[in-house]
Amino acid sequence: MDDDKHKPKLEFWFGDQHSDDNGRETIRQVYKNFVGDNTDGTGSGTNGNVFVFTEDYWKPTDAQIPGVGADGTKPYCTLEKDGKTGTAYFKRTDDKKPAMHFCDKVWDRTDLATLTADSCSKLGDHVSTAAWTKNFIGANVLHEYMHYPRIGKDAVGTQIGDVVYDAFQCRALAVNDDVEQRKKTIVNADTYVWYALEIAFTELCAKDFAGPRDERDDDESNQDWPDSDPGTDDPNNGACDCDENGCTPDSPACCANGSC
């Protein structure tokens, strides 16, 4: 983000409401919370506080996901909406531990080395949901971590949720005629994914990519059903979410009188 050549991408994805110095620093802090010092290449130690379960542990109710037959007994990944299935979710466990689960189809997606092989030929010439995030497991992992309050909320001050999905709709949000809608880019998980991916692939592939186009009508089966809305996952509605008498690995700085 410090490279001047990538500055236009900040407004491209986050819009004119967050492209000034203050917005830039806030967005940088989100990524810093995720990456940390990265001395061993594994990112921030904060990431290790999140449990990744192989079991599809969330069984939503109809009130949580209306109109898909959710009844509190069916695992999330088995539900369908308009022929589409879910990808992943960030959802605290019953004992309030931060956790996430990735549906089986995510594990069929490839890694960075495979995606950028052969001079990045698999990526095409434009920013593409179909070619990029539907083929790259790292994009799905980054998206879910944006929902973790110690990554996103601690930097932004508000839970990062899901306003819109995919590259085309994220770009449309950034240039929405309604200024109140444009402001929402900073709390939209997929916006962080697309901003990071475009910079990364521009550098790794030594090429510029054209902007995204609407691919939703190309192959409807290729569009994931949106994942869970983590806005419902904050039981304290923004208040300090730990025991004020002690610290846990998931404690924000406000806990235990600021001693965490």
Side-chain angles (χ1 to χ4, degrees):
M1 290 179 66
D2 291 320
D3 193 332
D4 285 345
K5 74 178 181 181
H6 294 306
K7 282 185 178 179
K9 294 181 178 65
L10 184 67
E11 184 168 340
F12 186 88
W13 291 110
F14 286 93
D16 59 3
Q17 298 300 297
H18 305 296
S19 57
D20 60 5
D21 289 343
N22 288 335
R24 188 165 182 261
E25 286 305 310
T26 298
I27 293 162
R28 283 185 65 196
Q29 189 59 51
V30 173
Y31 292 112
K32 284 182 178 180
N33 290 347
F34 179 69
V35 175
D37 293 333
N38 204 32
T39 54
D40 59 359
T42 61
S44 171
T46 301
N47 300 342
N49 298 331
V50 179
F51 293 81
V52 179
F53 287 101
T54 56
E55 177 191 0
D56 187 2
Y57 62 92
W58 184 37
K59 299 177 176 63
T61 64
D62 183 68
Q64 292 172 308
I65 307 180
V68 296
D71 58 7
T73 66
K74 301 171 185 174
Y76 171 81
C77 295
T78 66
L79 301 175
E80 292 188 11
K81 183 177 182 180
D82 300 327
K84 305 170 189 177
T85 58
T87 303
Y89 53 85
F90 177 92
K91 206 74 178 172
R92 290 184 185 271
T93 59
D94 290 341
D95 55 359
K96 305 304 180 186
K97 288 184 173 63
M100 58 181 70
H101 171 74
F102 297 90
C103 300
D104 288 346
K105 66 180 181 182
V106 173
W107 304 109
D108 293 330
R109 296 174 180 180
T110 192
D111 58 16
L112 183 63
T114 303
L115 194 60
T116 56
D118 301 320
S119 301
C120 299
S121 60
K122 295 181 180 66
L123 294 176
D125 296 319
H126 69 277
V127 177
S128 169
T129 299
W132 294 20
T133 55
K134 295 297 179 288
N135 289 307
F136 182 32
I137 191 172
N140 304 121
V141 173
L142 178 60
H143 178 110
E144 295 309 320
Y145 264 108
M146 293 299 99
H147 296 322
Y148 180 35
R150 301 292 79 78
I151 302 297
K153 184 178 176 181
D154 279 2
V156 177
T158 304
Q159 177 73 38
I160 291 179
D162 295 315
V163 182
V164 296
Y165 299 86
D166 82 41
F168 182 80
Q169 293 186 87
C170 285
R171 170 57 179 162
L173 182 65
V175 294
N176 193 294
D177 290 339
D178 185 342
V179 65
E180 295 303 317
Q181 290 298 310
R182 295 202 303 277
K183 289 179 180 178
K184 294 179 181 179
T185 56
I186 204 167
V187 292
N188 185 52
D190 238 23
T191 297
Y192 289 88
V193 173
W194 286 108
Y195 178 57
L197 285 184
E198 187 181 8
I199 291 176
F201 289 151
T202 296
E203 291 294 322
L204 291 171
C205 304
K207 62 179 287 186
D208 292 321
F209 295 89
R213 59 184 179 84
D214 193 349
E215 300 169 308
R216 287 173 292 176
D217 292 332
D218 291 354
D219 179 5
E220 290 187 0
S221 66
N222 196 39
Q223 301 301 313
D224 291 329
W225 178 34
D227 59 8
S228 63
D229 181 0
T232 63
D233 198 51
D234 187 354
N236 296 311
N237 194 29
C240 192
D241 54 355
C242 67
D243 182 354
E244 290 290 350
N245 296 317
C247 303
T248 71
D250 190 38
S251 298
C254 63
C255 298
N257 298 318
S259 63
C260 291

